Amino acid sequence: DELLASAEAGAEFFMLDLRSNFDWREKHLDNAYNIPLPQLKKRLQDEVPRFTPLVIICATGNDSHSIACQLAGLGASALYVLDGGMNLWPYEV
């Protein structure tokens, strides 16, 4: 609900979906950018904006929390995790 309300209020953020390309094609949020978790380290610096709040998405929220902790340890801020991941996303996509 918070994510949708923020988007409707005009908040700007980058949604990073860590799931496989297959899972992303099956169901994803509008404007979500897909970098599968195994490719993240190689692609993160070139493809993810540094100064935009980041919403991290995975299937369950577990990988997202782990990546958010790693990024915070590297100095990133404005990190958000989609709780429950796409498995619990209750809305149409």
Side-chain angles (χ1 to χ4, degrees):
D1 292 335
E2 263 184 78
L3 179 61
L4 292 177
S6 294
E8 288 175 7
E12 291 192 25
F13 43 82
F14 186 84
M15 292 188 292
L16 175 62
D17 194 322
L18 303 174
R19 298 173 303 136
S20 71
N21 288 323
F22 176 80
D23 289 337
W24 185 81
R25 283 191 300 269
E26 288 283 314
K27 175 182 178 181
H28 66 272
L29 302 180
D30 288 343
N31 301 319
Y33 189 82
N34 180 234
I35 300 178
L37 185 56
Q39 299 172 17
L40 184 62
K41 187 175 182 180
K42 181 171 52 172
R43 296 173 57 187
L44 180 68
Q45 188 169 354
D46 293 333
E47 297 180 46
V48 177
R50 292 180 186 205
F51 302 107
T52 303
L54 180 62
V55 177
I56 306 170
I57 302 166
C58 67
T60 64
N62 293 334
D63 288 335
S64 296
H65 281 285
S66 176
I67 293 300
C69 288
Q70 290 177 32
L71 293 175
L74 295 172
S77 59
L79 299 168
Y80 303 91
V81 170
L82 182 66
D83 284 336
M86 288 304 294
N87 288 353
L88 294 182
W89 184 254
Y91 307 106
E92 284 288 320
V93 291

